[in-house]
Amino acid sequence: VTNGRTILEIFYRANGQFVARAQVPATEIAALGKLGYQFESHPHHGYRLLAVPDRLTADDIQARLVTNVIGREIIVFEETGSTNDVVADLARHGAKEGLVVFAESQTKGRGRQGRAWVSARGKGLWFSVLLRPTWPVHAMPRLTVAASVAVARVIRQTTGLDARIKWPNDVTIQGRKVAGILTELHGAAAILGVGLDVNCRSEDLPPGVPATSLAIETGEPQERPAIAAALLAALDELYATATTNFDAVVAQWAAWSTTLGKQLVVQRGQQRLEGHAAALDGDGTLLLRKDNGQTERLTGAEVMVEK
Ligand code: BTN
């Protein structure tokens, strides 16, 4: 059978080239046209995909994907509370590793430390991935490290922008936050939430914090479905690497980190720790070398200021 997804797969594989009419029924082309896809029709060469709608759909994202685990099931909500909560619910009911839930808008998007996460409708990528890592609990910080590398890499590859990682979970451009990651553990399930400001204008971003978006930085709107698929592919690859060869992930993180080598002030409960960010260990824990020579392990739960 041919359906929208298979047809889209054919066009994405063709990579902007013409596809013969025999491969793509005119009725399917018309159906995709109604959804906002635009084709060039040529009497001899067939059809060529010219433009895609700025709308997230499971069919579109899956048609672009060639991943193993992440994205084998995708659900898109027009609106939800928090995609992390949706995935936690589905995980409780036995959902498989690799499930991804996107929302065009979130009414209760949240960030670390109980902060709200502003999710302007249709302007960003707000999604959560269900993982079931077989690692020990102390190695779970690897997830956020791997995810931050994936997000930075996709931004760099698709826009050429100099995306950096501010430990533990921010991706920044010129010191302004463009993405955040919220990893939550529910028993054996790990929920990896990613928020990326893609086409947000400055009025769509939270006030009072230095934030930016890919559109603001590049000066042009970016194709959200393409970035969504690239993110899932990168997450899939880095999740696998974090399992088999975490050192390689750390090396990439170190190259893009704004934190490494910096003097940090960390609030841990009543305690105030100060020292420099010396290294990331094999669990994804940041090692803080204090001035007295002692080393503290930072899990990411603490509030931190880079000096
Ligand atoms: C942070 O920077 O503090 C983390 C932000 C994480 C935001 C994403 S958006 C999708 C997912 N659902 C949420 O409620 N939060 C994460």
Side-chain angles (χ1 to χ4, degrees):
V1 274
T2 49
N3 58 25
R5 173 166 160 199
T6 348
I7 301 295
L8 285 174
E9 237 172 76
I10 293 170
F11 281 105
Y12 289 133
R13 280 207 206 110
N15 208 5
Q17 301 301 301
F18 277 99
V19 172
R21 270 166 211 283
Q23 283 191 64
V24 284
T27 49
E28 293 290 347
I29 297 290
L32 287 170
K34 288 218 176 73
L35 295 174
Y37 292 88
Q38 290 169 28
F39 298 90
E40 178 184 345
S41 168
H42 184 277
H44 305 303
H45 303 317
Y47 298 102
R48 194 152 74 107
L49 180 59
L50 294 181
V52 307
D54 180 24
R55 215 167 156 268
L56 300 176
T57 63
D59 276 348
D60 186 290
I61 298 168
Q62 263 160 343
R64 301 171 189 256
L65 272 183
V66 278
T67 60
N68 297 318
V69 178
I70 294 178
R72 56 186 168 192
E73 190 187 349
I74 295 177
I75 306 173
V76 182
F77 286 90
E78 205 34 50
E79 179 173 296
T80 191
S82 158
T83 55
N84 266 34
D85 292 340
V86 175
V87 170
D89 259 355
L90 295 169
R92 248 192 308 281
H93 291 94
K96 285 215 200 88
E97 179 171 65
L99 166 72
V100 184
V101 172
F102 286 88
E104 289 287 22
S105 86
Q106 295 184 115
T107 53
K108 289 197 184 105
R110 53 169 196 280
R112 287 172 66 241
Q113 275 129 13
R115 283 191 287 257
W117 178 264
V118 178
S119 332
R121 178 180 301 277
K123 298 286 179 66
L125 292 172
W126 330 120
F127 68 98
S128 304
V129 182
L130 172 58
L131 299 172
R132 298 185 180 279
T134 53
W135 321 330
V137 177
H138 58 79
M140 290 302 175
R142 284 183 191 177
L143 282 178
T144 308
V145 174
S148 63
V149 169
V151 173
R153 182 201 280 178
V154 168
I155 293 173
R156 299 177 81 93
Q157 283 176 348
T158 55
T159 65
L161 293 166
D162 185 24
R164 301 272 167 170
I165 304 166
K166 181 173 174 220
W167 192 85
N169 73 322
D170 293 358
V171 178
T172 61
I173 297 169
Q174 311 288 348
R176 285 184 291 271
K177 179 160 172 169
V178 70
I181 294 152
L182 179 69
T183 309
E184 295 177 317
L185 302 179
H186 293 257
I191 291 133
L192 186 73
V194 178
L196 171 61
D197 295 325
V198 181
N199 291 329
C200 311
R201 298 157 306 173
S202 50
E203 58 266 38
D204 302 319
L205 296 170
V209 292
T212 191
S213 73
L214 300 182
I216 291 172
E217 296 299 321
T218 58
E220 44 195 48
Q222 301 293 315
E223 204 172 290
R224 288 184 311 132
I227 298 174
L231 279 170
L232 299 188
L235 286 168
D236 193 71
E237 190 196 317
L238 277 140
Y239 179 49
T241 311
T243 306
T244 56
N245 182 13
F246 186 61
D247 286 353
V249 180
V250 172
Q252 189 59 91
W253 175 87
W256 294 335
S257 171
T258 63
T259 311
L260 199 60
K262 283 247 178 76
Q263 194 69 13
L264 304 184
V265 179
V266 179
Q267 196 67 38
R268 173 184 284 168
Q270 298 302 335
Q271 221 187 340
R272 194 184 128 105
L273 307 172
E274 192 166 340
H276 81 273
L280 207 62
D281 74 6
D283 288 341
T285 300
L286 188 69
L287 303 181
L288 183 79
R289 183 91 10 96
K290 294 196 290 186
D291 298 342
N292 66 10
Q294 284 175 352
T295 300
E296 295 278 351
R297 307 176 77 244
L298 303 183
T299 62
E302 302 91 348
V303 182
M304 175 199 89
V305 179
E306 290 181 0
K307 275 195 29 191

